[in-house]
Structure formats: structure tokens, C-alpha cells
Amino acid sequence: MSKLSMLRWRAPIVTPLLSALAILGCVVLAATGYYLSFLFFTLFTLLVLGVPIAISLAGACLLFVVFSGQVPDVVVAHRMINGIDSFPLLAIPFFIFAGSLMNNAGITERIFDFAKALMGWMRGGLGHVNVGASIVFSGMSGAAVADAGGLGTIEIKAMKDAGYEEEFAVGITAASSTIGPIIPPSLPMVIYGVMASASVGQLFAAGLIPGLLMGAMLMGMIFIISRRRGYTADARFSFLVLGKTFSRAALSLMTPVIIVGGIISGVFTPTESAVAAVVYALFLGVVVYRTLNWRKLLKVSMETIETTAIILFIVAAASIFAWIMSSNQVTQHLVAVLGPFADSKIAVLLFSNVVLIIIGCFMETIAAITILVPVLLPMAIAVGVDPVHFGVIMVLNLMIGLLTPPVGMVLYVLSRVSNVSFERCMRGTIPFLIPLVLCLLLVTFIPAISMWLPTLIYR
């Protein structure tokens, strides 16, 4: 029995014990007046009990306000409303809708076929195709889970049929899907931009080169593994096949050009680009390919409404948490903990990376961003880190967290679509964490990688 299986077997014993200890801690902290500690312990207790993150955040903050008596409890409602009263947040439902439309319109298959014709001739060909297709699709969806669930099904089946090991196929599919929220458009970047009051357009531009770097480093690891395991090319290069697949995918490939090019050229804002993506996806699915019908549109619309409601509820609840953190000077307390290292840019960046990696292992990306931005960003700005640069660091950290247990959202999605156990998915992903972590370190300590493009365009 694996260690993860043992943990699951013991969960009926461990969970009630942890919950009881956490509740006891909350009572003691509230009675003794340590209200900030009470807030964190209450949040931890609710999460352990399996309460959804949005309700856990809102509930913990409400209890903090009631027990501390610092402000009237109606402030909670006001802060929740103000937290989602933001124009850039309109991009979220439209990007989600656009990604779902493309998955249901057969666009992903055309992209994969073109990527195979372009890159299948290399050693470990379908592995490189996997990364290439994810890079293209990342310019459409903006979400790692959408990449894993949409392209992942096609990629893993093709790699299995070609003789690749299941763990290798799932591992590279999981790792490449993390490129989605780095290359624009990006839902996490939109959330970060709102929480940090940073330009979403600059954040999108800052993610382009790091996203391409991630793809290049993953392809390097694929080449190394393929040489060791004896994987060969999966297709001969043919200009005829390349031309045919390109002609089939040409209109689909225009999607990232429209979105990214429109933002960078200033034709429309990131929010308007999301609307343009939806209009173009509808045009392709309904008029050109004729793969979307009313039943599919209704299904996609309902999924979009549900996902958007969840995300906005999290953002609204987290806005209360952020206000409490800033009004109680939590950042200053962290600076005091770091002591003499608080003035060191390297030390602050290393500390932030460690915190983000750990939190990313346990918390969903949107929730982690909304909770940690008000805590870590002021400390980073104080030592001279650009908020746009820090946004790329934060999102990249949390993308790596999608590949790590116990949460590992991408691994759970791929485990379901590939019928491969979670433990085997995790084993297949481990080698690809190396290039992702190396890329994170490069982006962290060489700001030009992320800041060159936005500086060129916007400043």
C-alpha cells in the first residue's frame, strides 16, 4: 500500500482529531484576545472540515469581525461587494466561455494535428507535440485545467497508441498544461491584477517570454528522457502534411494572434480581448466548422456560469481577508519575523517562493492569489520588486503547485481522463518539475525575462 493510500485510510481518524484540536485552539485564541491568530486557526479549521474555500474565508473573517469588535459586521458585506466591483473581472467569464467553446468546437484536435506535423519528427516526437500544442492552446484558454481536460484527452491517447509509457504521457501533459496561465490570456493574472491594482495588460505581456521558456525547458527534458528510454521520432517531416494540417488549423491558430496581438497593439483592453475571443470562437464553431449546436452551447454556458460564480465568490470572500490583513499590518509582522533579512531582495524573493510553493500544494490557485497578495506583495515592493514581475513569480509558483499533492488539481483531472491512478500520475510528473523549478528560479532572479516585453510596450 502506497503512502498516499495509507493517508487516505487513516483520514477517518486524523481528520476529526485535527478538527477537534483546531476548534479548541480557536476557542482559546478568541478568549485570550489573539484575534489575528484566531482568524488563521478558524480558517484552518473550516478547511480541515471540508468547508468550501469561499465559505471558509468569509466565515472566518465574519467571526473575526464579530469577536474583535473593531468594526460593525455590516462591513463584511460592503467589502465583499466592493471586492468584485471591478471592470477587469469581466474578463473571467468571457475567457472561461471562450476556452470551453474551443474545447467543444473541435479546435483542439486541429491544433494537435498541426503540432504533430510541425514537431513530430524530433526524438520523442509526441512529447514535443504535447508541449507545442499546449503553447498554442494557452493563447486561447488561460487556464491549466482547461488545457489538461481539453487537449489532455487527445494527447494522452495519441501517446499511448504510439507506445509511450502512460506515466510519461500523463507527466508531460500535466507539466505542459501549466504553461496555459503564464502565456496570455491568463485567468490568474487577471485576479492578481485586480488584487494588486496592477495593469492586466502588462501582466499578460510579462508572461509571454517566461511561458515560452517553460516550453523550451520542458522540451529539453523530453529530449533527455527520450534518449535514455529509446523513444524515436513519431512522424517524418513533410511539407505536404504540414500544409494540409496548417490549412485545417489556420483559423484556429488566429485566436491567440487576435487575443495577444490585440492587447499588445492596443486595439482592445484585456477585458475586451476576452469578448473578442468569445465572438471568434462562436464564429468558428457555429459558422465555419459547424460543430456547435444549441445543446452544446447551453451546456457550455451553464458550465461557464457555475465556474464564474465560484471564482467571484472566492474573490469576494478573499477581499475581506485582504482588508483585515492590511488594516492589521500583517506585512509588518512578517518583516519583523525576517529581521535583518527583510531588507534583502534575494531573501524576500526566496521567502516568497517558499511560502507560495507550500501554499500551492494545499490551496487552489485563485484562492491562494487572493489571500497571499496583500500579505507578500507589500513586502516585495518594499525591497524594490516590480508588482508585475512579482505577479509572474506568484502565478508560476502556484502553477507548479497544481502538480503537487495533496491538492494537485491538474493531476486529479488527468487521472480521471486517462484512467491512470493518482500516484502513477504523480510519479510521471516528478521529472518535469525539475525544468519548471529551474525556470522559476531564472524568472525570479533575472527580472528582464518577464519585464523586458512590458517595458518595451508600455513604458
Side-chain angles (χ1 to χ4, degrees):
M1 185 179 293
S2 68
K3 291 183 179 179
L4 280 176
S5 299
M6 289 292 290
L7 286 174
R8 291 177 187 145
W9 180 75
R10 293 172 183 169
I13 301 172
V14 173
T15 302
L17 179 61
L18 288 176
S19 302
L21 290 173
I23 292 171
L24 178 62
C26 291
V27 172
V28 172
L29 289 170
T32 53
Y34 290 97
Y35 296 116
L36 269 179
S37 300
F38 165 76
L39 171 64
F40 285 105
F41 264 81
T42 303
L43 178 60
F44 170 76
T45 303
L46 293 172
L47 291 174
V48 168
L49 292 173
V51 178
I53 182 68
I55 298 175
S56 297
L57 277 169
C61 291
L62 178 61
L63 290 173
F64 171 87
V65 169
V66 169
F67 283 111
S68 67
Q70 294 179 359
V71 291
D73 52 11
V74 72
V75 169
V76 173
H78 288 166
R79 288 288 168 179
M80 289 186 74
I81 294 169
N82 290 336
I84 56 175
D85 184 16
S86 174
F87 179 72
L89 286 177
L90 283 174
I92 292 175
F94 288 109
F95 278 133
I96 294 172
F97 192 38
S100 298
L101 286 173
M102 291 166 191
N103 271 332
N104 285 271
I107 292 174
T108 50
E109 295 179 8
R110 295 169 185 268
I111 292 171
F112 182 79
D113 290 341
F114 171 68
K116 183 177 180 181
L118 184 65
M119 308 170 73
W121 57 271
M122 293 186 282
R123 181 184 287 272
L126 285 182
H128 298 291
V129 171
N130 195 318
V131 175
S134 293
I135 289 174
V136 175
F137 192 69
S138 66
M140 304 180 188
S141 69
V145 174
D147 188 327
L151 272 173
T153 307
I154 302 169
E155 292 167 338
I156 293 172
K157 182 180 184 304
M159 292 185 75
K160 284 181 181 178
D161 293 343
Y164 289 89
E165 296 177 13
E166 282 185 334
E167 292 180 7
F168 177 78
V170 173
I172 187 55
T173 302
S176 66
S177 69
T178 60
I179 300 173
I182 306 298
I183 291 179
S186 167
L187 295 181
M189 294 285 195
V190 173
I191 301 296
Y192 175 87
V194 171
M195 297 298 299
S197 298
S199 166
V200 176
Q202 290 187 35
L203 286 164
F204 279 6
L208 186 57
I209 294 176
L212 296 175
L213 179 62
M214 290 170 66
M217 296 187 77
L218 286 173
M219 290 174 72
M221 179 58 74
I222 291 168
F223 180 79
I224 293 170
I225 294 175
S226 297
R227 264 189 101 171
R228 290 182 176 177
R229 299 185 183 179
Y231 296 145
T232 57
D234 294 298
R236 289 184 178 181
F237 183 80
S238 167
F239 282 107
L240 179 62
V241 175
L242 182 63
K244 286 181 178 179
T245 55
F246 177 76
S247 63
R248 288 186 70 244
L251 292 175
S252 303
L253 295 172
M254 284 298 296
T255 309
V257 175
I258 292 171
I259 296 172
V260 180
I263 296 170
I264 291 177
S265 64
V267 174
F268 37 62
T269 66
T271 304
E272 292 166 348
S273 73
V275 179
V278 170
V279 172
Y280 191 66
L282 284 171
F283 171 73
L284 291 181
V286 176
V287 179
V288 180
Y289 302 145
R290 298 183 180 180
T291 50
L292 289 176
N293 52 37
W294 284 111
R295 180 174 294 179
K296 285 185 178 180
L297 283 173
L298 179 61
K299 175 176 174 287
V300 169
S301 299
M302 295 305 296
E303 289 174 353
T304 301
I305 292 170
E306 181 181 351
T307 306
T308 302
I310 293 170
I311 291 175
L312 291 182
F313 192 8
I314 293 172
V315 173
S319 65
I320 319 168
F321 187 85
W323 173 73
I324 292 173
M325 294 298 100
S326 59
S327 61
N328 285 272
Q329 300 181 328
V330 171
T331 302
Q332 285 77 351
H333 294 311
L334 276 177
V335 169
V337 171
L338 286 176
F341 298 105
D343 295 328
S344 169
K345 187 175 182 178
I346 294 176
V348 169
L349 286 173
L350 284 174
F351 174 76
S352 299
N353 276 318
V354 170
V355 170
L356 287 165
I357 285 286
I358 293 173
I359 295 297
C361 293
F362 296 92
M363 193 172 290
E364 191 269 336
T365 302
I366 303 299
I369 289 173
T370 51
I371 290 172
L372 293 176
V373 165
V375 178
L376 297 178
L377 181 60
M379 191 165 55
I381 292 175
V383 294
V385 179
D386 191 288
V388 173
H389 178 212
F390 192 76
V392 177
I393 294 171
M394 176 172 278
V395 174
L396 183 47
N397 266 290
L398 296 174
M399 288 307 99
I400 295 174
L402 290 176
L403 307 180
T404 54
V407 177
M409 186 64 68
V410 166
L411 295 182
Y412 281 113
V413 170
L414 290 177
S415 175
R416 186 173 68 248
V417 301
S418 65
N419 293 320
V420 176
S421 68
F422 181 85
E423 289 84 354
R424 290 183 62 201
C425 289
M426 189 175 66
R427 280 200 302 269
T429 306
I430 289 174
F432 298 103
L433 291 176
I434 298 172
L436 292 179
V437 171
L438 287 175
C439 184
L440 171 62
L441 293 174
L442 289 173
V443 170
T444 299
F445 297 108
I446 307 178
I449 294 175
S450 56
M451 294 305 299
W452 176 78
L453 192 57
T455 301
L456 181 68
I457 298 171
Y458 292 98
R459 300 180 184 180

